[in-house]
């Protein structure tokens, strides 16, 4: 699947999707946002795909929103143009937040402003040590919108979030990992290997349980304990509806067959009826 502004290769059940405007540092234009939604649509229920990785071609992951095509040109069309382009970008980020498949952001280079939307939307995030992150909005005279302020407040300490948003200073991948903006950072030449390793681990798990788990982590964040407890009971019962046999097989292989230990790895789901 090769579109102009977004590329995708499927290999070993992993969809490697990449922003593909390297000459514009993968800045998100309305056209790119529309293509990304199409790619996500095509992959979401594709049985050849178990995990989606979002990377960037060239030196950037994404330089954020395209200041010319996303802001200046849509503003010329008035409120209608502005709202349309917001719907398109927020739309695919939201789609990704609740995506059917597990998702991993693979931040190879620059990640600015609006890029924090898809960064947060991915379930996991791995960065190159060399990657550079900033909420640069303040440098050109706006607040970090499009959810970016919410992303840093949710993920960072209040002091780090405030400093990051008010100064617009760059941090590298190592600092981003220290601040927990990403899970981990590794040298750029090891990034793809590390992400492939994590994707392979996810591919071993029961996919219905994975979707229920990733949704649960996001949903319970703003619930009381009692509401979360109730939600989690219902979420597991709903998962049982889609996959009634998975957990029974997981118990059988451990208790009866003694072929694996759940504390040390996943059951063999290829033998699930
Ligand atoms: N919007 C529009 N065009 C962009 C953007 C952007 N966000 N980022 C890069 N480009 C364009 C440049 O204008 C340039 O175009 P040109 O070749 O037609 O002149 C091309 O991409 C290459 O950019 P350079 O600046 O020459 O690349 P360099 O590698 O030297 O610098 C860097 C990379 C640091 C990412 C720089 O391009 C930059 O600061 N970009 C803007 C980052 C930013 O602040 N984004 C907005 C965040 S706020 C938000 O998203 C809401």
């Amino acid at each position: 699947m090769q579109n102009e502004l977004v590329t995708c290769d499927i290999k070993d059940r992993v969809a490697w999707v990449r922003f593909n405007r390297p000459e514009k540092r993968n800045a998100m234009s309305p056209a790119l946002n529309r293509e990304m939604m199409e790619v996500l649509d095509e992959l979401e229920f594709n049985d050849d795909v178990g995990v989606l990785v979002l990377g960037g071609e060239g030196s950037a992951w994404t330089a954020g929103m395209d200041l010319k095509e996303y802001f200046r040109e849509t503003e010329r069309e008035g409120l209608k143009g502005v709202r349309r382009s917001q719907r398109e970008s927020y739309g695919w980020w939201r789609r990704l937040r609740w995506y059917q498949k597990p998702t991993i952001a693979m931040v190879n280079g620059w990640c600015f402003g609006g890029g924090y939307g898809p960064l947060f939307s991915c379930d996991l995030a791995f960065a190159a040590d060399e990657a550079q992150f900033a909420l640069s909005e303040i440098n050109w005279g706006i607040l970090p919108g499009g959810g970016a302020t919410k992303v840093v407040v949710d993920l960072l300490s209040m002091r780090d979030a405030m400093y990051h948003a008010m100064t617009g200073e760059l941090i590298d991948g190592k600092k981003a990992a220290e601040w927990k903006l990403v899970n981990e950072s590794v040298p750029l030449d090891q990034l793809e290997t590390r992400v492939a390793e994590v994707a392979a681990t996810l591919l071993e798990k029961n996919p219905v349980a994975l979707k229920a788990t990733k949704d649960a982590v996001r949903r319970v964040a703003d619930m009381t304990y009692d509401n979360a407890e109730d939600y989690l009971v219902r979420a597991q019962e709903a998962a049982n509806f889609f996959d009634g046999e998975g957990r029974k097989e997981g118990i059988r292989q451990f208790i009866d067959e003694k072929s694996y230990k759940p504390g040390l790895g996943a059951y063999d789901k290829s033998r699930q009826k």
Side-chain angles (χ1 to χ4, degrees), residues 23-25 27 59 63-68 71 110 112-115 136-137 140 142:
E23 73 290 354
K24 298 288 183 188
R25 305 299 178 261
S59 62
M65 308 323 292
D66 187 307
L67 299 198
K68 177 168 166 280
F71 285 107
W110 302 112
F112 286 103
S136 54
E137 285 88 340
W140 62 279
I142 68 164

Side-chain angles (χ1 to χ4, degrees), residues 30 68-87:
K68 177 168 166 280
E69 295 184 33
Y70 181 86
F71 285 107
R72 194 163 67 187
E73 290 175 3
T74 56
E75 276 164 22
R76 277 201 198 115
E77 296 173 47
L79 191 58
K80 185 178 168 196
V82 171
R83 290 288 181 263
R84 188 188 59 231
S85 58
Q86 287 169 338
R87 267 198 310 274

Side-chain angles (χ1 to χ4, degrees), residues 45-226:
F45 295 98
N46 181 333
D47 291 336
D48 297 335
V49 175
V51 173
L52 184 145
V53 174
L54 181 59
E57 298 285 356
S59 62
W61 192 61
T62 172
M65 308 323 292
D66 187 307
L67 299 198
K68 177 168 166 280
E69 295 184 33
Y70 181 86
F71 285 107
R72 194 163 67 187
E73 290 175 3
T74 56
E75 276 164 22
R76 277 201 198 115
E77 296 173 47
L79 191 58
K80 185 178 168 196
V82 171
R83 290 288 181 263
R84 188 188 59 231
S85 58
Q86 287 169 338
R87 267 198 310 274
E88 287 166 350
S89 56
Y90 302 171
W92 77 259
W93 304 344
R94 188 180 312 114
R95 184 70 178 280
L96 203 53
R97 278 201 302 285
W98 303 105
Y99 208 59
Q100 188 66 30
K101 311 279 164 72
T103 55
I104 306 175
M106 181 173 73
V107 185
N108 49 296
W110 302 112
C111 176
F112 286 103
Y116 284 43
L119 178 69
F120 181 71
S121 295
C122 289
D123 304 321
L124 301 172
F126 291 77
D129 293 342
E130 297 88 336
Q132 296 282 333
F133 298 77
L135 287 183
S136 54
E137 285 88 340
I138 199 69
N139 290 338
W140 62 279
I142 68 164
L143 63 76
T149 297
K150 175 70 175 155
V151 171
V152 292
V153 167
D154 276 5
L155 297 183
L156 312 184
S157 75
M158 183 271 192
R159 289 292 176 215
D160 290 337
M162 194 67 91
Y163 187 88
H164 200 52
M166 290 181 72
T167 66
E169 277 177 19
L170 289 164
I171 58 168
D172 64 11
K174 287 183 183 169
K175 178 66 88 179
E178 192 189 308
W179 280 5
K180 293 296 170 201
L181 186 57
V182 298
N183 291 89
E184 206 177 297
S185 91
V186 295
L188 180 59
D189 61 6
Q190 293 166 29
L191 182 60
E192 209 168 301
T193 307
R194 177 66 185 128
V195 169
E197 210 173 82
V198 175
T201 300
L202 296 174
L203 287 171
E204 289 172 5
K205 314 294 184 196
N206 178 314
V208 174
L210 273 178
K211 168 68 170 149
T213 300
K214 57 181 258 176
D215 286 2
V217 169
R218 289 188 192 269
R219 291 282 184 212
V220 302
D222 57 4
M223 289 183 193
T224 62
Y225 193 97
D226 282 334

